[in-house]
Amino acid sequence: MTLATRIDLREEGKAKRADVVLGEDWTAPEGVVDSELRAGRERRGFISLNRSPLARKIITFNLMAMIVLVAGVLYLNPFRNSLVLQRETGLVAEAQLIANVFEAQLPQSGPVNLASGDGIDVRRTAEGIELPEGAELFVFDTMEHLVVSTVGMDRAERETVTGLQRDHRSTIITDILNAVWEGIASLLAPGNGPATGHVIEDLARQLAVGAIAGETQIRTGRDADGEAIFAVATPIRHNGRVLGVVAVTSVAGEIDDLVRVEREQVLQMFVIAIVVSIGLSLVLASTIANPLSDLAAAAELGRDKNARKMSPGRVRIPDLTARPDEIGRLSGAMRGMVAALYERIEGNEQFAADVAHEIKNPLASLRSAVGTLRVARRDDQKQKLLDVIDHDVRRLDRLVSDISNASRLDSELVKEEEESFNLLKMLGNITEFLGQEARGKGVDFISDLPADPIVIQGLEARLAQVFVNLITNAISFCAEGDAVRVWARKRENRVLVVVEDTGPGIPDQALTKVFKRFYSERPPGQFGEHSGLGLAISKQIVEAHGGVIWAENIRPTDADITSEPLGARFVVGLPV
Ligand SMILES: Nc1ncnc2c1ncn2[C@@H]1O[C@H](COP(=O)(O)OP(=O)(O)O)[C@@H](O)[C@H]1O
Ligand SMILES: [Mg+2]
């Protein structure tokens, strides 16, 4: 169980919206703490990376995710594979077309020999075929002898194909990143296709061997500069017989260029994404790290000030409760905590001051009595003074024990375990005992309790203390012939216990003051017996149980408020 005051954040928020909480308002311009905090904020600017580990972390993690993504894309190189496949199928089709051209030139009958030029002018046919610049065409006969080879030239008359231009955008940044990437890639995969330094013709010839057997061959190799070349060899058939082989090699490095362009685009995107990500991270960091560091700074400023200079500057936690996130919650919780702490501290200070004040009176009286005793000669005088001293000592004793009870109450209320008990049984015991005392004084004592038990949750001994207080007060204010009535009723989820008397009542302006500590307004004779703590303690106990207690005067409803009351009534309401 917890009887400690709960910090209600929502209440805080409401108060703020209604502009009721004065002095706690964060935007209040005056105050040392405020100005220091604002100065700190200005120094910090939008976000300070070197002073905010949280901001650094946010940015680093965001960048790390980004780098891993891009490195993965570049490393797995998915576009290269599909480009290679496309280029290879294209080249195979090209080679087969060229082979078809040769086949179409061959005469239907008569001797045909590629090497000797019987039946076909291989050279003229080969030269008639337009190849892209740098691509090479080889024709081998069945003995793997090279019959002819041509290289694609940059022919001025070649028509440019509209729509085929590739815009090759690269920036300094992407060039640098590309170079960096190529450096890393060569480190990571040094054996990526051995740069065997094949002469292109060798590559074509190797393939030709397989193609002579009747199957189209394809291979990727690297030229002397290490650039990728594709080579395809496909047989030329005549009447079902392989006559020779057409081998076509692609332009060296063609695919590498394409891949580089693709990579550059990825890197451009990467650069943009990094800029965006850093920007977003900064915004994110500023919305998380800045308010947190404000909160921390506010708490630190307060601590500093109190410890060193004993400056009364209060800790002012920034009010971020308008934020619908955890930081808003944290700010609200911290504000609530600080407010509760100050309330507690002030309460304790007030209590200590009150205690000192209350103890001073009997002490002063004691001192003067002792002083007079020294010079008193007559025995009856001495006896009187001794009586005074005895009275003061008893009063002090009572005060001190009441005070120590009251000061322990808070922590004990939190510690003790709530139990369910029958309130009526407890009231029955108390009224029986105090009823006798009242009757001994000539006061009528009436108790009117329902028959059915009323079971409530709480600290039985503490609540008993409340009712003993109320009833003894009532009895003490009654003279002979007066009456005290105690009654209780249960209503839905509440139970009311009322203690009424026909005594003098309470001055109207004191109806709430009677619950203040050390407030005691009694006829002179009773002074000293009462510390004025009873009702304060009672109120504390009742409120810790979630209940209410109030005092009122008994008057006919139509009576003038200034008329003499018929008595006092104390009402305690408790939740069932
Ligand atoms: N039944 C009552 N009738 C009139 N005044 C009362 C009654 N009960 C309490 N009071 C007033 O409230 C004051 C505070 O009561 P309490 O806190 O119990 O302190 P104490 O009993 O020590 O005076 C009393 O001194 C008295 O002035
Ligand atoms: Mg009392």
Side-chain angles (χ1 to χ4, degrees):
M1 70 144 227
T2 166
L3 284 170
T5 17
R6 286 186 196 91
I7 299 164
D8 192 342
L9 301 181
R10 249 157 281 159
E11 279 303 318
E12 258 267 318
K14 254 185 245 156
K16 183 203 70 193
R17 266 188 291 278
D19 279 344
V20 180
V21 187
L22 299 175
E24 287 297 323
D25 199 333
W26 179 240
T27 48
E30 70 290 340
V32 204
V33 181
D34 264 11
S35 57
E36 278 185 35
L37 228 147
R38 219 171 299 125
R41 259 189 213 176
E42 267 156 30
R43 245 180 287 128
R44 184 183 57 210
F46 176 58
I47 180 96
S48 78
L49 285 184
N50 51 349
R51 246 172 296 144
S52 168
L54 197 59
R56 281 203 299 272
K57 236 179 235 173
I58 291 174
I59 292 174
T60 314
F61 286 161
N62 277 351
L63 280 187
M64 255 158 65
M66 194 71 113
I67 289 170
V68 167
L69 184 74
V70 171
V73 168
L74 291 180
Y75 185 71
L76 293 180
N77 223 345
F79 35 80
R80 188 193 161 97
N81 294 342
S82 63
L83 279 176
V84 165
L85 186 67
Q86 267 183 26
R87 192 66 199 99
E88 281 175 350
T89 40
L91 203 65
V92 167
E94 250 173 71
Q96 280 170 348
L97 261 178
I98 293 171
N100 286 348
V101 169
F102 279 97
E103 283 164 11
Q105 304 258 319
L106 294 173
Q108 280 303 317
S109 55
V112 180
N113 189 326
L114 294 183
S116 62
D118 284 348
I120 181 172
D121 188 346
V122 179
R123 176 161 297 278
R124 247 195 52 200
T125 312
E127 279 170 358
I129 292 170
E130 245 179 52
L131 291 173
E133 187 190 348
E136 290 186 42
L137 168 67
F138 302 89
V139 180
F140 297 97
D141 66 8
T142 43
M143 304 306 292
E144 297 163 35
H145 290 309
L146 181 63
V147 179
V148 73
S149 75
T150 59
V151 181
M153 288 295 164
D154 182 15
R155 295 180 211 185
E157 72 270 22
R158 183 180 299 166
E159 299 160 35
T160 49
V161 184
T162 27
L164 204 88
Q165 278 80 16
R166 191 171 242 293
D167 50 341
H168 188 94
R169 277 169 305 182
S170 73
T171 59
I172 299 175
I173 302 173
T174 52
D175 284 346
I176 294 171
L177 288 174
N178 228 335
V180 169
W181 176 257
E182 271 163 14
I184 295 172
S186 66
L187 280 181
L188 280 180
N192 189 5
T196 44
H198 279 302
V199 181
I200 298 173
E201 193 189 315
D202 280 352
L203 182 64
R205 191 184 300 278
Q206 282 170 18
L207 286 186
V209 179
I212 288 166
E215 259 175 49
T216 302
Q217 306 280 315
I218 183 156
R219 187 176 301 169
T220 311
R222 292 195 176 266
D223 73 355
D225 299 334
E227 294 198 271
I229 315 174
F230 300 110
V232 174
T234 190
I236 304 173
R237 292 173 203 273
H238 182 62
N239 297 334
R241 196 167 58 84
V242 175
L243 268 190
V245 169
V246 171
V248 184
T249 60
S250 70
V251 183
E254 174 189 62
I255 206 84
D256 299 309
D257 281 346
L258 287 177
V259 168
R260 194 169 302 123
V261 170
E262 296 281 351
R263 191 189 301 142
E264 251 161 27
Q265 279 170 352
V266 169
L267 289 174
Q268 273 170 358
M269 263 165 44
F270 176 51
V271 170
I272 295 171
I274 279 193
V275 171
V276 171
S277 155
I278 290 181
L280 289 181
S281 304
L282 281 175
V283 173
L284 183 67
S286 76
T287 60
I288 295 174
N290 284 0
L292 281 181
S293 88
D294 277 355
L295 288 177
E300 281 162 6
L301 283 179
R303 189 191 60 195
D304 235 44
K305 286 266 161 291
N306 289 346
R308 245 193 287 125
K309 294 190 221 147
M310 298 299 284
S311 144
R314 265 192 168 215
V315 177
R316 283 157 170 268
I317 302 296
D319 183 5
L320 307 174
T321 44
R323 287 175 64 125
D325 58 9
E326 287 85 345
I327 292 177
R329 253 180 71 197
L330 178 66
S331 152
M334 281 177 77
R335 284 168 69 81
M337 195 177 75
V338 167
L341 268 176
Y342 276 120
E343 205 172 284
R344 200 61 190 265
I345 291 170
E346 269 158 21
N348 284 347
E349 281 170 0
Q350 186 60 45
F351 186 60
D354 290 346
V355 165
H357 181 257
E358 287 307 308
I359 287 180
K360 257 196 162 136
N361 285 343
L363 269 183
S365 154
L366 253 181
R367 180 194 261 165
S368 81
V370 170
T372 326
L373 189 62
R374 286 191 205 283
V375 292
R377 300 195 187 274
R378 290 210 331 258
D379 270 358
D380 61 327
Q381 276 179 337
K382 280 186 186 166
Q383 195 51 49
K384 223 173 168 186
L385 285 168
L386 280 176
D387 283 348
V388 169
I389 289 171
D390 183 49
H391 181 254
D392 283 341
V393 167
R394 269 194 292 126
R395 187 175 158 199
L396 269 176
D397 186 42
R398 161 138 201 148
L399 245 181
V400 169
S401 54
D402 276 2
I403 287 168
S404 87
N405 271 340
S407 65
R408 276 205 312 268
L409 187 66
D410 249 349
S411 58
E412 280 174 10
L413 282 177
V414 179
K415 263 186 266 154
E416 285 169 26
E417 280 293 316
E418 266 185 359
E419 280 166 2
S420 44
F421 63 94
N422 183 359
L423 183 71
L424 291 184
K425 192 165 163 236
M426 177 188 91
L427 282 174
N429 291 339
I430 294 173
T431 48
E432 192 179 326
F433 170 72
L434 292 176
Q436 275 169 16
E437 194 185 307
R439 274 172 223 118
K441 219 184 130 185
V443 174
D444 271 349
F445 195 95
I446 306 150
S447 88
D448 170 10
L449 304 175
D452 290 341
I454 301 174
V455 177
I456 66 167
Q457 275 278 330
L459 310 176
E460 187 171 5
R462 295 291 170 183
L463 285 173
Q465 197 179 341
V466 173
F467 298 116
V468 168
N469 255 325
L470 295 182
I471 297 170
T472 43
N473 273 352
I475 296 172
S476 72
F477 276 92
C478 284
E480 215 179 320
D482 275 326
V484 171
R485 184 161 86 112
V486 179
W487 60 270
R489 287 294 180 274
K490 189 179 154 187
R491 280 236 146 203
E492 283 161 18
N493 56 351
R494 292 192 93 73
V495 56
L496 282 192
V497 181
V498 182
V499 180
E500 294 166 322
D501 62 63
T502 55
I506 305 162
D508 281 301
Q509 78 283 356
L511 282 177
T512 51
K513 271 195 245 161
V514 291
F515 295 102
K516 291 241 153 69
R517 280 184 191 131
F518 301 115
Y519 178 89
S520 185
E521 205 49 61
R522 284 180 178 274
Q526 292 178 357
F527 193 76
E529 310 288 311
H530 303 274
S531 60
L533 279 169
L535 287 180
I537 291 174
S538 302
K539 186 173 160 77
Q540 208 179 340
I541 294 172
V542 170
E543 285 177 353
H545 282 81
V548 287
I549 181 171
W550 73 90
E552 58 193 33
N553 280 311
I554 305 173
R555 283 196 183 91
T557 35
D558 53 350
D560 183 2
I561 189 89
T562 53
S563 65
E564 277 290 304
L566 302 178
R569 177 188 293 136
F570 284 83
V571 186
V572 175
L574 288 169
V576 179

